[in-house]
Amino acid sequence: TMTDPWVKAATTGMTAAFGTLRNPTDRDLVVMSASSGAAATMELHETAMVDGKMAMRPKQGGFQVPAHGSHELKPGGDHLMLIDLTGPVQPGADLRITLTLADASTVTFTAVGKVFAGGNESYQPSPGGSGLPMPSRPTGSMTMGG
């Protein structure tokens, strides 16, 4: 499930989604991908120190959610990146997001648009990543809840 999901409000380009993934099962789960009608593409991202400054980059191997545990998606940390928005993300708007797990099962939740001024990371593409340029300040963040 996803707890307290939200997406950073943005008019065009990219934004991010945050929240807390919760795993009530007896087995470890891995989130491998995400999708939404609100963006042409979504990527799982992490924030890491690159050349002395914080940069976001695609997360290799997905988000690990331990059995009976959780994994937080937050500004300055792991998050879901929405790339090439299909329209503005307004404060208060509801966005449906679907996560695909390693076992091919899916989890769908609704995240709310929210004004957020934080997040000042740059983008560091990984080998085989989208190679899309990212703004130095992400235009969105999301909290997952469900």
Side-chain angles (χ1 to χ4, degrees), residues 47-68:
T47 304
M49 188 66 73
V50 177
D51 296 328
K53 59 183 184 173
M54 295 305 287
M56 39 179 187
R57 62 186 179 195
K59 173 79 171 175
Q60 301 302 310
F63 297 143
Q64 311 287 319
V65 188
H68 301 285

PDB file of all heavy atoms in Angstrom, residues 47-68:
ATOM      1  N   THR A  47      18.308   9.821  -4.720  1.00  0.00           N
ATOM      2  CA  THR A  47      19.148  11.005  -4.626  1.00  0.00           C
ATOM      3  C   THR A  47      20.446  10.575  -3.961  1.00  0.00           C
ATOM      4  O   THR A  47      20.430   9.920  -2.922  1.00  0.00           O
ATOM      5  CB  THR A  47      18.455  12.114  -3.811  1.00  0.00           C
ATOM      6  OG1 THR A  47      17.187  12.394  -4.422  1.00  0.00           O
ATOM      7  CG2 THR A  47      19.289  13.384  -3.790  1.00  0.00           C
ATOM      8  N   ALA A  48      21.563  10.914  -4.604  1.00  0.00           N
ATOM      9  CA  ALA A  48      22.876  10.489  -4.111  1.00  0.00           C
ATOM     10  C   ALA A  48      23.893  11.608  -4.308  1.00  0.00           C
ATOM     11  O   ALA A  48      23.680  12.510  -5.112  1.00  0.00           O
ATOM     12  CB  ALA A  48      23.326   9.233  -4.854  1.00  0.00           C
ATOM     13  N   MET A  49      24.994  11.522  -3.580  1.00  0.00           N
ATOM     14  CA  MET A  49      26.068  12.496  -3.717  1.00  0.00           C
ATOM     15  C   MET A  49      26.869  12.142  -4.974  1.00  0.00           C
ATOM     16  O   MET A  49      27.373  11.037  -5.114  1.00  0.00           O
ATOM     17  CB  MET A  49      26.977  12.454  -2.483  1.00  0.00           C
ATOM     18  CG  MET A  49      28.000  13.565  -2.449  1.00  0.00           C
ATOM     19  SD  MET A  49      27.272  15.206  -2.282  1.00  0.00           S
ATOM     20  CE  MET A  49      26.757  15.203  -0.575  1.00  0.00           C
ATOM     21  N   VAL A  50      26.958  13.093  -5.917  1.00  0.00           N
ATOM     22  CA  VAL A  50      27.708  12.907  -7.158  1.00  0.00           C
ATOM     23  C   VAL A  50      28.587  14.131  -7.352  1.00  0.00           C
ATOM     24  O   VAL A  50      28.085  15.255  -7.436  1.00  0.00           O
ATOM     25  CB  VAL A  50      26.763  12.726  -8.372  1.00  0.00           C
ATOM     26  CG1 VAL A  50      27.563  12.609  -9.660  1.00  0.00           C
ATOM     27  CG2 VAL A  50      25.869  11.513  -8.179  1.00  0.00           C
ATOM     28  N   ASP A  51      29.893  13.920  -7.400  1.00  0.00           N
ATOM     29  CA  ASP A  51      30.841  15.024  -7.590  1.00  0.00           C
ATOM     30  C   ASP A  51      30.627  16.154  -6.591  1.00  0.00           C
ATOM     31  O   ASP A  51      30.640  17.330  -6.937  1.00  0.00           O
ATOM     32  CB  ASP A  51      30.781  15.558  -9.021  1.00  0.00           C
ATOM     33  CG  ASP A  51      31.203  14.525 -10.051  1.00  0.00           C
ATOM     34  OD1 ASP A  51      32.071  13.682  -9.723  1.00  0.00           O
ATOM     35  OD2 ASP A  51      30.674  14.554 -11.179  1.00  0.00           O
ATOM     36  N   GLY A  52      30.369  15.798  -5.345  1.00  0.00           N
ATOM     37  CA  GLY A  52      30.269  16.786  -4.289  1.00  0.00           C
ATOM     38  C   GLY A  52      28.926  17.479  -4.152  1.00  0.00           C
ATOM     39  O   GLY A  52      28.781  18.387  -3.340  1.00  0.00           O
ATOM     40  N   LYS A  53      27.932  17.083  -4.963  1.00  0.00           N
ATOM     41  CA  LYS A  53      26.612  17.690  -4.789  1.00  0.00           C
ATOM     42  C   LYS A  53      25.538  16.633  -4.974  1.00  0.00           C
ATOM     43  O   LYS A  53      25.754  15.591  -5.580  1.00  0.00           O
ATOM     44  CB  LYS A  53      26.402  18.881  -5.718  1.00  0.00           C
ATOM     45  CG  LYS A  53      26.509  18.593  -7.174  1.00  0.00           C
ATOM     46  CD  LYS A  53      26.351  19.900  -7.955  1.00  0.00           C
ATOM     47  CE  LYS A  53      26.358  19.608  -9.445  1.00  0.00           C
ATOM     48  NZ  LYS A  53      26.050  20.769 -10.232  1.00  0.00           N
ATOM     49  N   MET A  54      24.361  16.920  -4.421  1.00  0.00           N
ATOM     50  CA  MET A  54      23.257  15.973  -4.500  1.00  0.00           C
ATOM     51  C   MET A  54      22.698  15.945  -5.919  1.00  0.00           C
ATOM     52  O   MET A  54      22.501  16.987  -6.538  1.00  0.00           O
ATOM     53  CB  MET A  54      22.157  16.342  -3.511  1.00  0.00           C
ATOM     54  CG  MET A  54      22.585  16.248  -2.051  1.00  0.00           C
ATOM     55  SD  MET A  54      23.247  14.630  -1.594  1.00  0.00           S
ATOM     56  CE  MET A  54      21.746  13.676  -1.566  1.00  0.00           C
ATOM     57  N   ALA A  55      22.474  14.733  -6.422  1.00  0.00           N
ATOM     58  CA  ALA A  55      21.908  14.555  -7.757  1.00  0.00           C
ATOM     59  C   ALA A  55      20.904  13.417  -7.719  1.00  0.00           C
ATOM     60  O   ALA A  55      21.069  12.457  -6.972  1.00  0.00           O
ATOM     61  CB  ALA A  55      23.018  14.236  -8.753  1.00  0.00           C
ATOM     62  N   MET A  56      19.846  13.533  -8.524  1.00  0.00           N
ATOM     63  CA  MET A  56      18.910  12.426  -8.621  1.00  0.00           C
ATOM     64  C   MET A  56      19.257  11.619  -9.859  1.00  0.00           C
ATOM     65  O   MET A  56      19.754  12.151 -10.853  1.00  0.00           O
ATOM     66  CB  MET A  56      17.464  12.883  -8.647  1.00  0.00           C
ATOM     67  CG  MET A  56      17.158  14.081  -9.405  1.00  0.00           C
ATOM     68  SD  MET A  56      15.423  14.461  -9.344  1.00  0.00           S
ATOM     69  CE  MET A  56      15.505  15.785 -10.517  1.00  0.00           C
ATOM     70  N   ARG A  57      19.025  10.312  -9.740  1.00  0.00           N
ATOM     71  CA  ARG A  57      19.337   9.412 -10.843  1.00  0.00           C
ATOM     72  C   ARG A  57      18.407   8.206 -10.774  1.00  0.00           C
ATOM     73  O   ARG A  57      17.852   7.911  -9.709  1.00  0.00           O
ATOM     74  CB  ARG A  57      20.790   8.970 -10.764  1.00  0.00           C
ATOM     75  CG  ARG A  57      21.125   8.192  -9.502  1.00  0.00           C
ATOM     76  CD  ARG A  57      22.595   7.890  -9.399  1.00  0.00           C
ATOM     77  NE  ARG A  57      22.864   7.163  -8.171  1.00  0.00           N
ATOM     78  CZ  ARG A  57      24.073   7.014  -7.669  1.00  0.00           C
ATOM     79  NH1 ARG A  57      25.118   7.531  -8.281  1.00  0.00           N
ATOM     80  NH2 ARG A  57      24.250   6.332  -6.556  1.00  0.00           N
ATOM     81  N   PRO A  58      18.221   7.511 -11.904  1.00  0.00           N
ATOM     82  CA  PRO A  58      17.369   6.314 -11.876  1.00  0.00           C
ATOM     83  C   PRO A  58      17.888   5.308 -10.851  1.00  0.00           C
ATOM     84  O   PRO A  58      19.092   5.108 -10.706  1.00  0.00           O
ATOM     85  CB  PRO A  58      17.485   5.770 -13.297  1.00  0.00           C
ATOM     86  CG  PRO A  58      17.787   6.980 -14.122  1.00  0.00           C
ATOM     87  CD  PRO A  58      18.684   7.824 -13.254  1.00  0.00           C
ATOM     88  N   LYS A  59      16.967   4.694 -10.139  1.00  0.00           N
ATOM     89  CA  LYS A  59      17.292   3.713  -9.092  1.00  0.00           C
ATOM     90  C   LYS A  59      17.402   2.330  -9.725  1.00  0.00           C
ATOM     91  O   LYS A  59      16.427   1.806 -10.262  1.00  0.00           O
ATOM     92  CB  LYS A  59      16.189   3.736  -8.022  1.00  0.00           C
ATOM     93  CG  LYS A  59      16.304   2.670  -6.966  1.00  0.00           C
ATOM     94  CD  LYS A  59      17.327   3.023  -5.945  1.00  0.00           C
ATOM     95  CE  LYS A  59      17.241   2.032  -4.782  1.00  0.00           C
ATOM     96  NZ  LYS A  59      18.280   2.252  -3.834  1.00  0.00           N
ATOM     97  N   GLN A  60      18.575   1.756  -9.671  1.00  0.00           N
ATOM     98  CA  GLN A  60      18.793   0.422 -10.208  1.00  0.00           C
ATOM     99  C   GLN A  60      18.243  -0.622  -9.243  1.00  0.00           C
ATOM    100  O   GLN A  60      18.451  -0.529  -8.044  1.00  0.00           O
ATOM    101  CB  GLN A  60      20.287   0.195 -10.448  1.00  0.00           C
ATOM    102  CG  GLN A  60      20.912   1.188 -11.413  1.00  0.00           C
ATOM    103  CD  GLN A  60      20.262   1.189 -12.779  1.00  0.00           C
ATOM    104  OE1 GLN A  60      20.075   0.141 -13.392  1.00  0.00           O
ATOM    105  NE2 GLN A  60      19.903   2.366 -13.261  1.00  0.00           N
ATOM    106  N   GLY A  61      17.516  -1.615  -9.754  1.00  0.00           N
ATOM    107  CA  GLY A  61      17.021  -2.706  -8.918  1.00  0.00           C
ATOM    108  C   GLY A  61      15.724  -2.433  -8.191  1.00  0.00           C
ATOM    109  O   GLY A  61      15.240  -3.284  -7.450  1.00  0.00           O
ATOM    110  N   GLY A  62      15.136  -1.260  -8.379  1.00  0.00           N
ATOM    111  CA  GLY A  62      13.847  -0.951  -7.777  1.00  0.00           C
ATOM    112  C   GLY A  62      13.917  -0.573  -6.306  1.00  0.00           C
ATOM    113  O   GLY A  62      14.995  -0.507  -5.711  1.00  0.00           O
ATOM    114  N   PHE A  63      12.749  -0.304  -5.733  1.00  0.00           N
ATOM    115  CA  PHE A  63      12.634   0.036  -4.318  1.00  0.00           C
ATOM    116  C   PHE A  63      12.321  -1.234  -3.530  1.00  0.00           C
ATOM    117  O   PHE A  63      11.302  -1.877  -3.770  1.00  0.00           O
ATOM    118  CB  PHE A  63      11.524   1.062  -4.072  1.00  0.00           C
ATOM    119  CG  PHE A  63      11.733   2.399  -4.732  1.00  0.00           C
ATOM    120  CD1 PHE A  63      10.654   3.083  -5.259  1.00  0.00           C
ATOM    121  CD2 PHE A  63      12.987   2.975  -4.816  1.00  0.00           C
ATOM    122  CE1 PHE A  63      10.814   4.329  -5.860  1.00  0.00           C
ATOM    123  CE2 PHE A  63      13.175   4.212  -5.412  1.00  0.00           C
ATOM    124  CZ  PHE A  63      12.085   4.892  -5.933  1.00  0.00           C
ATOM    125  N   GLN A  64      13.172  -1.589  -2.588  1.00  0.00           N
ATOM    126  CA  GLN A  64      12.993  -2.775  -1.748  1.00  0.00           C
ATOM    127  C   GLN A  64      12.094  -2.415  -0.558  1.00  0.00           C
ATOM    128  O   GLN A  64      12.380  -1.456   0.152  1.00  0.00           O
ATOM    129  CB  GLN A  64      14.348  -3.241  -1.201  1.00  0.00           C
ATOM    130  CG  GLN A  64      15.444  -3.371  -2.245  1.00  0.00           C
ATOM    131  CD  GLN A  64      15.251  -4.567  -3.153  1.00  0.00           C
ATOM    132  OE1 GLN A  64      14.874  -5.634  -2.696  1.00  0.00           O
ATOM    133  NE2 GLN A  64      15.512  -4.383  -4.427  1.00  0.00           N
ATOM    134  N   VAL A  65      11.037  -3.204  -0.367  1.00  0.00           N
ATOM    135  CA  VAL A  65      10.137  -2.990   0.767  1.00  0.00           C
ATOM    136  C   VAL A  65      10.118  -4.293   1.568  1.00  0.00           C
ATOM    137  O   VAL A  65       9.548  -5.289   1.129  1.00  0.00           O
ATOM    138  CB  VAL A  65       8.710  -2.607   0.318  1.00  0.00           C
ATOM    139  CG1 VAL A  65       7.864  -2.190   1.526  1.00  0.00           C
ATOM    140  CG2 VAL A  65       8.743  -1.485  -0.723  1.00  0.00           C
ATOM    141  N   PRO A  66      10.753  -4.309   2.740  1.00  0.00           N
ATOM    142  CA  PRO A  66      10.869  -5.562   3.502  1.00  0.00           C
ATOM    143  C   PRO A  66       9.515  -6.061   4.024  1.00  0.00           C
ATOM    144  O   PRO A  66       8.591  -5.274   4.222  1.00  0.00           O
ATOM    145  CB  PRO A  66      11.795  -5.193   4.663  1.00  0.00           C
ATOM    146  CG  PRO A  66      11.682  -3.717   4.799  1.00  0.00           C
ATOM    147  CD  PRO A  66      11.373  -3.177   3.435  1.00  0.00           C
ATOM    148  N   ALA A  67       9.438  -7.371   4.258  1.00  0.00           N
ATOM    149  CA  ALA A  67       8.228  -7.965   4.834  1.00  0.00           C
ATOM    150  C   ALA A  67       7.858  -7.223   6.118  1.00  0.00           C
ATOM    151  O   ALA A  67       8.720  -6.929   6.945  1.00  0.00           O
ATOM    152  CB  ALA A  67       8.473  -9.442   5.126  1.00  0.00           C
ATOM    153  N   HIS A  68       6.589  -6.866   6.253  1.00  0.00           N
ATOM    154  CA  HIS A  68       6.066  -6.139   7.419  1.00  0.00           C
ATOM    155  C   HIS A  68       6.805  -4.826   7.665  1.00  0.00           C
ATOM    156  O   HIS A  68       6.852  -4.332   8.790  1.00  0.00           O
ATOM    157  CB  HIS A  68       6.085  -7.014   8.676  1.00  0.00           C
ATOM    158  CG  HIS A  68       5.281  -8.253   8.511  1.00  0.00           C
ATOM    159  ND1 HIS A  68       3.912  -8.255   8.542  1.00  0.00           N
ATOM    160  CD2 HIS A  68       5.664  -9.537   8.280  1.00  0.00           C
ATOM    161  CE1 HIS A  68       3.472  -9.488   8.346  1.00  0.00           C
ATOM    162  NE2 HIS A  68       4.508 -10.284   8.171  1.00  0.00           N
TER     163      HIS A  68
END
